[in-house]
């Protein structure tokens, strides 16, 4: 080979080495950049009012005449319905369960053999209403039925407040949780002298609905936590 060919070949080898070196360096940087990331969590919380209320009203009677007992329970049930309607609850919000009656003399053992009344019965009106305000009012005033001779009781542990509009607020809360996560990631990137890149992966946590506190179960706290991983760049 002549000198010109040798020089051209040498020049070509140098250029190839530079190009390959640059490419390898770029690949290595990209690879390292892909490895650098930060995982952050974003929280979104919102207080909402329960939009459904469920609770049972139980009333009881005692009598030695079984037929009379059933009539009394039926009459008490009608008075409960009337009382609730006057407070503003709709008929479709109330349902009456068949009464349950216990024959004390049918028990083989116990002091019930000497009971004053042979039959003891109870009726049950179940309230399922979207008018939570009226439902709460009924819960507070139901004791007034005692003035009409109706023995009523409500088990506070059976009173339920439910929030059913979660799907309506989900998009807004997910957006808020994601923005909070990005703010945390941006701060981390700044503190580490890096630039925040694109999202590598993200997972949305489950929504939880709980009472704000034990004294206001009709106010709910909705909560969601999103986990997001971002790339970090130099």
């Amino acid at each position: 080979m002549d000198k010109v060919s040798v020089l051209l070949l040498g020049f070509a080898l140098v250029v190839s080495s530079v190009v390959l070196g640059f490419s390898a360096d770029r690949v290595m940087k990209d690879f390292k950049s892909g490895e650098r990331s930060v995982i952050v969590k974003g929280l979104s919380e919102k207080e909402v009012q329960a939009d459904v209320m469920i609770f049972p009203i139980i009333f009881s009677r005692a009598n030695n005449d079984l037929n009379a007992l059933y009539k009394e329970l039926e009459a008490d049930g009608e008075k409960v319905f009337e009382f609730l309607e006057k407070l503003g609850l709709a008929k479709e919000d109330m349902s009456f369960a068949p009464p349950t009656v216990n024959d004390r003399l049918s028990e083989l053992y116990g002091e019930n053999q000497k009971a004053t009344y042979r039959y003891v019965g109870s009726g049950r009106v179940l309230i399922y209403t979207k008018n939570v305000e009226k439902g709460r009012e009924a819960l507070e005033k139901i004791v007034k039925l005692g003035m009409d001779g109706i023995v009523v009781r409500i088990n506070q542990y059976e009173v339920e407040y439910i929030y059913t509009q979660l799907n309506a607020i989900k998009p807004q809360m997910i957006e808020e949780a994601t923005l909070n996560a990005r703010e945390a990631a941006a701060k981390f990137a700044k503190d580490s002298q890096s630039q925040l890149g694109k999202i590598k992966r993200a997972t949305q946590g489950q929504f939880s609905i709980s009472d704000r506190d034990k004294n206001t179960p009709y106010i709910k706290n909705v909560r969601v936590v999103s986990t997001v991983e971002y790339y970090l760049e130099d």
Side-chain angles (χ1 to χ4, degrees):
M1 298 178 64
D2 55 22
K3 291 183 178 181
V4 175
S5 299
V6 172
L7 289 173
L8 289 174
L9 179 61
F11 179 74
L13 291 173
V14 170
V15 172
S16 299
S17 299
V18 171
V19 171
L20 289 174
F22 175 79
S23 299
D25 182 64
R26 181 62 181 272
V27 170
M28 184 59 67
K29 285 183 178 180
D30 289 344
F31 176 74
K32 289 182 178 179
S33 176
E35 285 186 333
R36 295 181 59 212
S37 63
V38 59
I39 299 175
V40 292
K41 294 183 182 293
L43 169 67
S44 178
E45 288 185 296
K46 188 178 183 65
E47 283 190 0
V48 296
Q49 294 280 338
D51 54 7
V52 171
M53 184 179 181
I54 306 172
F55 64 97
I57 299 173
I58 302 170
F59 49 94
S60 57
R61 287 278 182 175
N63 202 313
N64 287 318
D65 186 326
L66 183 59
N67 186 52
L69 177 63
Y70 275 105
K71 288 181 178 179
E72 289 174 348
L73 290 174
E74 183 179 358
D76 287 348
E78 292 176 355
K79 289 180 181 178
V80 172
F81 267 65
E82 291 174 2
F83 179 82
L84 295 173
E85 280 188 285
K86 288 180 180 179
L87 289 178
L89 288 172
K91 282 186 177 181
E92 54 267 27
D93 293 343
M94 300 174 276
S95 60
F96 180 66
T100 58
V101 176
N102 179 37
D103 183 357
R104 292 181 173 183
L105 294 184
S106 66
E107 299 177 7
L108 297 178
Y109 306 100
E111 298 180 357
N112 287 336
Q113 298 294 323
K114 299 179 181 180
T116 303
Y117 296 103
R118 176 176 178 177
Y119 302 106
V120 175
S122 62
R124 182 185 178 99
V125 173
L126 180 64
I127 310 300
Y128 185 103
T129 180
K130 293 182 179 180
N131 193 336
V132 177
E133 184 178 349
K134 291 296 182 182
R136 290 181 57 213
E137 183 181 354
L139 202 61
E140 295 172 359
K141 296 181 178 179
I142 197 69
V143 293
K144 291 184 178 180
L145 284 171
M147 298 178 182
D148 292 331
I150 303 175
V151 180
V152 295
R153 63 182 176 88
I154 295 176
N155 188 341
Q156 293 295 331
Y157 294 103
E158 292 184 312
V159 179
E160 296 183 68
Y161 294 94
I162 303 172
Y163 179 68
T164 64
Q165 302 300 314
L166 180 59
N167 287 337
I169 63 174
K170 267 186 176 182
Q172 178 187 352
M173 293 190 65
I174 292 173
E175 180 182 358
E176 182 180 342
T178 304
L179 289 174
N180 288 342
R182 185 171 182 81
E183 288 177 3
K187 186 177 186 309
F188 180 90
K190 182 179 179 181
D191 293 343
S192 61
Q193 298 182 345
S194 303
Q195 297 293 324
L196 192 63
K198 296 181 179 180
I199 292 178
K200 184 177 182 180
R201 65 173 62 88
T203 56
Q204 177 196 315
Q206 290 186 341
F207 278 82
S208 64
I209 303 177
S210 58
D211 297 343
R212 184 180 68 177
D213 55 67
K214 64 180 181 180
N215 296 315
T216 56
Y218 49 89
I219 300 177
K220 301 296 182 180
N221 182 57
V222 184
R223 187 175 188 271
V224 65
V225 177
S226 294
T227 303
V228 187
E229 183 175 5
Y230 288 92
Y231 286 110
L232 292 177
E233 302 171 352
D234 290 333

